[in-house]
Amino acid sequence: MGFWVTTLIFFLVGVVAALSVRLCCNGGPSTNLFHFTLVVTAIMCCWMMWAIVYLAQLKPLIVPILSEGE
Amino acid sequence: MGDYHSRGGGRGHGCCPPMDLLRSEPMQLVQIIIPIESAHLTVSYLGDLGLLQFKDLNADKSPFQRTYANQIKRCGEMARKLRFFREQMTKAGISPSAMSLTQTHIDLDDLEIKLGELEAELIEVNTNSEKLQRTYNELLEYKLVLQKAGEFFYSVQSSAIAQQREIEAHQVFDGSLDSPLLLEQEILADPSKQVKLGFVSGLVPKEKSMAFERILFRATRGNMYLKQVAVDDPVTDPVSGEKVAKNVFVVFYSGERAKTKILKICEAFGANRYPLTEDVGKQMQMIDEVSGKISELKTTIDIGLIQRDNMLKNIGYQFEQWNQMVRREKSIYHTLNMLSLDVTKKCVVAEGWSPVFATNQVQDALKRATYDSNSQVGSIFQILHTKESPPTYFQTNKFTLAFQEIVDAYGVAKYQEANPGVYTIITFPFLFAVMFGDWGHGICLLLATLYFIFREKKLSSQKLGDITEMTFGGRYVLMMMAMFSIYTGLIYNEFFSVPFELFGKSAYACRDPSCRDATSEGLIKVRSTYPFGVDPKWHGSRSELPFLNSLKMKLSILLGVAQMNLGIVLSYFNAKFFRNNLNIWYQFVPQLIFLNSLFGYLSLLIIVKWCTGSKADLYHVMIYMFLSPTDDLGENQLFPGQKTLQLVLLLLALISVPWMLLPKPILLKKQHQERHQGQSYALLQNTEESLELEQDHSSHGHEEFEFSEVFVHQLIHTIEFVLGAVSNTASYLRLWALSLAHSELSSVFYEKVLLLAWGFNNIIILIVGIIVFIFATIGVLLVMETLSAFLHALRLHWVEFQNKFYEGDGYKFSPFSFALLGEDED
């Protein structure tokens, strides 16, 4: 699974989450916008965290060197 | 500055509907003119509604000069009586029952009379029972004295008789021979010359008994005889009513003088004296008599107590209702005192803030009050226009409340300013989790908070301890923190510091089947990158720390730059909302450019370096971007055209500093001058309006435009931002430090405690190890680390995020509401 595939998965999860929040807790346009903002922020945070860690391991400059005991 | 109502028009423009919680509710200043006969009921109904914050229109008057000072005094008196009842009830161990179902309506006057009667009755019952109790205790002591002293007399007497007999027997033999007969006879025969021995008996506290004896001895110069016997059980002192260990004493003395001295000493030592007869028979009789009296008194006291308990129980049934009623009345009168009385004294005028959405509700309450109080005239409701800044009111629910409180703890938002609370709901727990990433610990935390959430109803009605109360209040914050911790824990691949291969196989493997190089050269990447989170092979390897350091440091910078950019973007929305173009063009734009041309570029370099696998030294690039921007980058070049880009960015950053600093004050000055000029040539308005205008001027027209002040303010702001851009980015590195500390600590506990104990192959050591591990995990990692990560996340939000856009100089909307009344007094 490459970077873009997982990003797409994140996006889809976000869409599903936004839709389900919209369906479950419908409370007028302003409340819905608020919920939508929360979902978008959460997904963005999670995606950034994942993307950073993923990219950092994409082309490793250092590799794991096992310790002597093992 | 300016009219807030026209500004409200800023809402609803653009593509989207207004967002909950982003802006505080639009408020209006309302004036209500209430006929005096329905004033009380109106205020009471408004208190039920709880959406109006009354302004104090009598601020210049002292509490005693106000109209309803008398009623407040009466309410205070009633509250005192109720407190007295509560005290009596807690003493008697009766708890007031919850709000009774039968809400009998009582008038305040009736209640006052009733409370007065009950108090008088209760006091009388108390004094009576106190008196009885005192007598009872005295009798008990008396009985003790009779018993103990009686024993003593009896034993002494019997030994005296024995002695006498011995002496007599002696006398038979040699008395007639040796002793001078006359002397003996003289003593025996002349009782008038015999010294009369008196005695005092009573009880003295045990700890004073030594001193008591010494003083007695000195005062009488040794001419006394003291006998003390300890009483086994502590005795209730009749005077103080406390249980004290006591000694029964009998003092024998000779002479009237000694007697008075002894009596005085007894008094000084708090020794209770009781009369005693020498005659043993009489003593027995007395004991019987006293015992009879004691049992009699006992039944009387018991009956009294039962009566009192019944009375208190009756009070307890209605106590809560009364208490609430008195509180309500008191708050109503307090509010009424804030209203100004009309000159005709036929109506009162109220002013206050109320959310715009509540207009209908308030008007409805006014109508009901008019109807219910049979008033001839209705209240008049009108909206006032003012330049005063309205209070800030966010409608929160149980989920958003705790997050909003985190923001409010720093400063209450200015009226209608963008509320960081919206993003805090997600970013706060997220940044916490970046520092607390371990899905094992996250699950523990989640379970603890789920306990609070499922027992929410029960716990919210209980009184909790300070710390539990705080945890309970922040249960939803904790829940979000725990959920994000589980997520970041999965990313960091740590479960109590143990990695799992949950998302496929590790990307690394040995270079050759023999795995000879694994400990020197290291493994080699054979598959595509581990799809989710940190590769499990890193754990425990020698290069783990360098790798994690580099990763987490860059992670902190990237997240920090992203959050600071979000803050700056919010400042754009603020400026747009308040229609402040100056702030957009001369604050928002240069700030965005400055931050991103330095740290945005750094973030870009980090990502490019990762994607290309370049070995460029980013420190070097960043430092020489400033020191010698025209030099060739050499091997540190990451992409073509980098040098040109760096030059452009550097120039932009340099330009944006004076851009932030200079134009805004100059333009403000120009604006001010234009307004001033316009005013001097304004048309003459009709009298009423110009009067209003003048009033406005007298209130805030005094502001002279001080260019130097505005300039210095802008200078400070600019310096703060420019230096802040560096220091704030550095401040985000705490994410790295704390998350590293957390993972290192948990791996120490796992390896040095659990695995070490496991290695001994001894069940007892293993159990001890497990216990130590559990306690260390809970105490250090779950409690202390949670606290410290919480505080650091708090700081990152308050300082690094909010200083980009948040003014936080508003004041909170505190409506007059009975629902909020209960908590503040206890």
Side-chain angles (χ1 to χ4, degrees), chain B residues 256-274:
Chain B
E256 273 305 304
R257 242 162 129 201
K259 186 182 177 182
T260 48
K261 270 184 196 165
I262 288 170
L263 290 185
K264 269 183 193 160
I265 291 166
C266 282
E267 227 161 82
F269 275 84
N272 303 321
R273 289 175 288 108
Y274 296 98

Side-chain angles (χ1 to χ4, degrees), chain A residues 1 6 10 27 29-35 37-39 41-43 45-70, chain B residues 17-21 422-423 425-426 430 487-488 491-492 508 518-519 522-523 525 529-535 538 540-543 547 551 555 558-559 562 610-611 613-615:
Chain A
M1 279 204 293
T6 318
F10 268 99
S30 54
T31 312
N32 289 339
L33 180 65
F34 171 60
H35 289 161
T37 312
L38 291 190
V39 170
T41 319
I43 289 294
C45 287
C46 290
W47 174 78
M48 268 180 74
M49 183 88 186
W50 166 82
I52 289 165
V53 172
Y54 183 85
L55 289 179
Q57 298 179 99
L58 196 59
K59 302 220 165 130
L61 294 179
I62 48 171
V63 288
I65 304 168
L66 301 186
S67 28
E68 302 287 341
E70 287 175 49
Chain B
M19 197 199 295
D20 267 9
L21 211 64
V422 175
Y423 293 97
I425 293 174
I426 300 297
F430 175 67
Y487 177 79
T488 52
I491 291 267
Y492 288 149
Y508 298 96
T519 53
L523 306 173
K525 194 173 170 191
T529 314
Y530 193 67
F532 191 87
V534 175
D535 198 296
W538 285 107
S541 69
R542 278 198 285 154
S543 48
F547 169 72
L551 166 66
L555 172 88
L558 290 172
L559 292 180
W610 278 341
C611 291
S614 150
K615 287 193 174 170

